[in-house]
Each structure stands twice: as C-alpha cells, then as structure tokens.
Amino acid sequence: MNFIKTTLLLSIFTIAIYANNINNSVVKIFATISKPDQLVPWQSKKSVSVTGSGVFIKNGYILTSAHVVHHATYIEVKKQNSVKKYQATIEYLSYDTDLALLKIDDSSFFSDMKPLNIGDLPNLQDEVRVVGYPKGGKDISITKGIISRIEYSRYALSNKEFLTIQIDAPINNGNSGGPALNNKNEIVGIAMQGLSKKSSEGIGYIVPPTVIKHFLKDIKDDTLDGTVGSGFYYSTMLNSSLQHYYASKSKKSKVIEESGILVTKVLKGTFIDGMLKEDDIILSIDDNLIENDGTIKIKNNIAVSFKYIIHSKQIGEIIKFTILRDGDIKELSVVIDKPNQLIKKEIKKPKYF
C-alpha cells in the first residue's frame, strides 16, 4: 500500500515539474472572429469570441492554428498564472496547412518565457503530451497519448490533404494551436482537429513537425509562398491487367510490376505542364521509389503518399522525376512553381464595387 502511495506521489510530482517547465511556453489565445458575408460583402457576419492555444517559439513568435485566428478582428494572448492579456497580430497565416504565427509588440510579454524547439517526425507508438487550454477549465491542461498513425489526411480548414499524425489523446475545443510534445519537451505537432463522432471519441490529429518546418522555412524571405499540388491526375498500377497492357508496350515489364503510377491527365498551368505527358509512368520522385499504390517509404518504413516529396519542396526548388515513356526510362528535372490560375480562391475579405 505504501509502495502505491509513493508511486502515485512520484507521478504527481513528475507531472507538476513537467507542467512547470512548459507553463511559460504555452499560452491561451482569445480572438474575436468576424467572417465575411459572401452574399453582402460590404458587411461582415456577427462577431463571435473563440479561444485557442499557442506555443512560444524562436524569434519571438507564437505558433498556433490558422483556424483559431482566421478572420480575427482582435487577438489577445495570456500566459498561465497571469491575468494580463497582451494584444497580438497575425504575422503569417497558412490557410492550406492550418498554421499561423502571431506577433506581440510588447517585449515584456516574453521576459520570463522559454521558447520551445521543433523536433523531428516521431515514430509510431511514441508517447506525446498535448498541452493547451481546452474548454472545461481556466488553467493549462496536459493530456497523454501515443502516436497511432502517420498518414495523409484531409485538413478541415483548407480541405486539402497533407501529412497528418493521429494520436489517441483527444483534441477538444480550445486545444487547437497547442503543442504536442515529446519527452524532450520538443514540439512534434500542433493540435489541429479531432473526430466528433461518438464512436471515434479520443482520436485527435496534429500537424506534424515536417509541415511546421516547411512553413517556418517558407517565411524566411518574409513571404509566404505556400505549397503546390502534384499538377496531375494519376491511376495506381495495382491492377495486373493494367500492368500487362503497359508492359507489353515496353521492355521494362519488370519495372512496371514493381513500382509506378500512371499519369492520366496533366493540369494546365501547373509546374509540371509540358514536362509530364498522359500515359507516362512515374517510377520515382527524387530517387524515392513509388509503389504501385502511389506511396513511398519514409522514416522507419512508413508508407505515405508520394505527394509528401512535392509538399516538402519550397517554391523555386528542383524536383526530379524518373518516368517510363514509350518504353524508355527518362529523367526529368522540374522547378517547383505556383500554378497559373485564372480564378484564384479568395481567403480574405471579398472585394466588391
């Protein structure tokens, strides 16, 4: 019995030390949101107040989720065990990957704060702690979980697919923007969304460190360029009849059986337009072998979409394709560039005459 009490006290003591180490790094965000009305663009919808979480990183920025502060007209940030709120402004916002950086002009806010570092992509079954300010209380909350999946999933804000980490710790209202930390107190994810179905309670999704690092590297030139899509539609090569059809037209039949995806359409105005052609079979990207189901292997042999390689590139960088075209293997080096869109999606307040 004494052993159980001692163990319990040690656990409580460990949690207290852990919480104390991050109290000055994780903050609560208060935002007044006023979304534009697309039907009457000269006015906005009714203002609502929302709360979220954020984490202090280097260069004096607060990293949070874009959906916490998107369309915000006023933002305030508060530290744990403090009643004072500091006004903040949005410095950079990535609508696609649901990330944002906040800036606070009052330097006194950071006087007793310690910035947290961005860690590496975690492994499956690694332990994480989600820190933030979910609804149900005023103080900081720490929940424990493990990494259960690393795969491509759809981000709710932009409805686009990027690498995502699934954890078994719940992500509740108010957790958004808070960090998921490893045992070194490094950021291995930003709380993004959870599943609302009763049968799926206790499942949360975080933005992985690879996506966060791409975002932070992107803004080093003070411009947010974002990411680009693949620029083409494709079909998997799992069907043996499909493999046989294209193998019969080529001497590289063994190559097709082992890897490759079939290009079915190249989108006009994209960076790959004029380089790839319909009926090309893409064998690898940047020397990463593409499996017949369209996946590549990353850390610890985890299979994710080949788009991971494209999304890891910055605008202006070169990407290499190895393709099979008309029976011959060819190498293509292409510069990543933004698509030339005739109609651009408006994510800010709509303009009107």
Side-chain angles (χ1 to χ4, degrees):
M1 194 68 179
N2 290 333
F3 173 76
I4 295 175
K5 287 183 178 179
T6 303
T7 304
L8 182 60
L9 287 172
L10 284 173
S11 299
I12 294 173
F13 182 69
T14 302
I15 293 172
I17 293 176
Y18 182 87
N20 187 55
N21 288 338
I22 60 174
N23 273 353
N24 292 335
S25 301
V26 182
V27 300
K28 188 172 184 177
I29 297 173
F30 302 82
T32 302
I33 306 295
S34 181
K35 294 183 179 181
D37 193 327
Q38 301 291 341
L39 296 178
V40 281
W42 51 89
Q43 66 185 34
S44 299
K45 295 181 180 179
K46 184 179 178 180
S47 296
V48 294
S49 297
V50 301
T51 60
S53 306
V55 58
F56 176 43
I57 61 172
K58 62 182 181 179
N59 299 327
Y61 286 126
I62 300 296
L63 178 65
T64 186
S65 293
H67 71 264
V68 172
V69 295
H70 191 220
H71 295 307
T73 57
Y74 190 71
I75 304 170
E76 288 182 312
V77 176
K78 186 179 82 70
K79 294 183 286 187
Q80 170 77 346
N81 299 324
S82 174
V83 296
K84 185 176 180 180
K85 296 179 182 178
Y86 292 77
Q87 187 176 351
T89 55
I90 300 173
E91 192 76 358
Y92 300 98
L93 187 145
S94 172
Y95 183 83
D96 286 349
T97 56
D98 200 358
L99 293 171
L101 284 181
L102 304 183
K103 182 181 179 182
I104 299 173
D105 291 329
D106 192 340
S107 59
S108 64
F109 177 81
F110 302 103
S111 60
D112 58 347
M113 297 184 72
K114 180 182 178 181
L116 297 185
N117 296 320
I118 313 296
D120 296 323
L121 186 70
N123 301 313
L124 292 174
Q125 298 299 309
D126 276 2
E127 185 180 287
V128 294
R129 290 178 172 88
V130 178
V131 188
Y133 293 85
K135 289 185 177 180
K138 295 181 179 180
D139 290 334
I140 201 166
S141 168
I142 303 173
T143 55
K144 185 178 177 181
I146 60 170
I147 305 295
S148 51
R149 279 183 185 151
I150 300 176
E151 61 182 3
Y152 256 60
S153 296
R154 199 168 295 279
Y155 284 33
L157 181 63
S158 62
N159 202 32
K160 294 183 178 180
E161 288 189 343
F162 294 98
L163 190 68
T164 312
I165 296 176
Q166 180 184 316
I167 58 176
D168 64 358
I171 304 294
N172 298 313
N173 290 336
N175 267 128
S176 293
L181 306 176
N182 60 17
N183 55 13
K184 298 179 182 178
N185 279 2
E186 294 174 329
I187 300 170
V188 291
I190 292 295
M192 174 179 57
Q193 60 199 40
L195 291 183
S196 58
K197 295 180 181 179
K198 290 185 178 180
S199 60
S200 304
E201 288 181 353
I203 295 178
Y205 295 91
I206 59 177
V207 181
T210 49
V211 177
I212 299 170
K213 289 178 179 178
H214 184 280
F215 170 62
L216 296 177
K217 183 179 179 181
D218 186 2
I219 63 171
K220 282 187 175 180
D221 60 355
D222 296 325
T223 302
L224 180 64
D225 295 313
T227 57
V228 298
S230 61
F232 60 89
Y233 294 134
Y234 71 96
S235 171
T236 62
M237 296 284 288
L238 294 171
N239 187 295
S240 58
S241 298
L242 187 65
Q243 291 179 10
H244 178 74
Y245 172 77
Y246 282 94
S248 64
K249 301 167 61 176
S250 168
K251 297 179 181 179
K252 309 292 182 179
S253 58
K254 187 176 181 181
V255 174
I256 298 173
E257 291 172 2
E258 293 176 351
S259 68
I261 53 174
L262 176 66
V263 177
T264 58
K265 183 178 180 180
V266 179
L267 302 180
K268 297 292 184 183
T270 60
F271 75 96
I272 206 67
D273 185 19
M275 300 296 290
L276 281 181
K277 296 181 180 180
E278 195 173 308
D279 282 344
D280 282 348
I281 296 176
I282 304 176
L283 303 175
S284 68
I285 297 182
D286 274 359
D287 298 323
N288 292 276
L289 186 72
I290 300 179
E291 302 288 347
N292 291 146
D293 63 351
T295 62
I296 61 169
K297 296 294 194 301
I298 58 172
K299 184 180 179 182
N300 291 336
N301 219 29
I302 296 173
V304 299
S305 171
F306 72 90
K307 296 177 184 178
Y308 174 80
I309 301 296
I310 299 175
H311 290 156
S312 66
K313 296 285 186 178
Q314 299 287 342
I315 301 298
E317 291 184 343
I318 295 175
I319 189 168
K320 185 177 71 174
F321 291 82
T322 303
I323 67 170
L324 185 65
R325 177 184 294 169
D326 299 328
D328 295 321
I329 293 180
K330 298 181 181 295
E331 301 282 349
L332 303 177
S333 293
V334 190
V335 177
I336 298 286
D337 198 5
K338 290 182 178 180
N340 183 19
Q341 296 174 317
L342 295 177
I343 301 176
K344 296 183 179 180
K345 185 176 182 180
E346 185 69 55
I347 62 171
K348 298 180 181 179
K349 189 173 181 179
K351 298 178 181 179
Y352 64 93
F353 291 99

